[in-house]
Amino acid sequence: MDFRNEPLGLVARILGLLSLFIGLGDAARLLGLGAGSASPITAIGTTGFVLLSVLALMRLFAAVGLWIRSSWGAIMLAASLVIEIGLYLVGTNWVSLGLWSFIFKLGVMLATFGLLAIAQLSAQRQLAD
């Protein structure tokens, strides 16, 4: 399943850019930008720091995968968002999201699932023809 179809490819590239911005935002948090003089490790804890590092890397690799219109990029983006939103809803201290950040990431996750579903339906339709 790939996103060679023009509308799917455009949506994949838009999601790739969004994934890039989310990943770069996570990387900025890892570097301590916006946290003042506090160390990011002490601010979010060691486990939170490792988790945020993994999620940032997943999103940056997902951005590359989506930009080259490959399905593994969408799967990586969806997995990273499911993990983050799931941990937030469970109530762990490792993930902190504001209301608008939660709504934005939920929208990106739903758009990613929609892209994967439409690509799957398109692939099945091509096989049937």
Side-chain angles (χ1 to χ4, degrees), residues 6-77:
E6 188 55 40
L8 291 179
L10 179 64
V11 172
R13 289 217 166 156
I14 291 170
L15 284 174
L17 288 174
L18 291 175
S19 178
L20 177 68
F21 291 135
I22 294 171
L24 289 176
D26 290 343
R29 275 189 61 204
L30 289 172
L31 293 174
L33 296 176
S37 62
S39 169
I41 295 177
T42 59
I44 60 176
T46 305
T47 307
F49 187 82
V50 170
L51 178 69
L52 189 60
S53 300
V54 170
L55 291 176
L57 281 174
M58 284 179 74
R59 289 174 182 146
L60 292 174
F61 278 108
V64 172
L66 285 164
W67 190 260
I68 63 172
R69 298 177 182 181
S70 179
S71 63
W72 59 265
I75 293 169
M76 285 185 70
L77 178 60

Side-chain angles (χ1 to χ4, degrees), residues 15 81 85 104-116:
L15 284 174
L81 289 169
I85 290 174
F104 174 72
K105 289 183 180 182
L106 185 64
V108 172
M109 182 182 72
L110 292 175
T112 305
F113 285 145
L115 176 70
L116 287 170

Side-chain angles (χ1 to χ4, degrees), residues 74-126:
I75 293 169
M76 285 185 70
L77 178 60
S80 70
L81 289 169
V82 164
I83 291 169
E84 183 177 21
I85 290 174
L87 286 173
Y88 175 72
L89 291 176
V90 169
T92 63
N93 293 334
W94 302 326
V95 177
S96 62
L97 294 174
L99 177 63
W100 293 111
S101 178
F102 176 76
I103 292 170
F104 174 72
K105 289 183 180 182
L106 185 64
V108 172
M109 182 182 72
L110 292 175
T112 305
F113 285 145
L115 176 70
L116 287 170
I118 291 171
Q120 182 68 28
L121 289 173
S122 174
Q124 287 177 353
R125 189 178 311 146
Q126 286 178 355

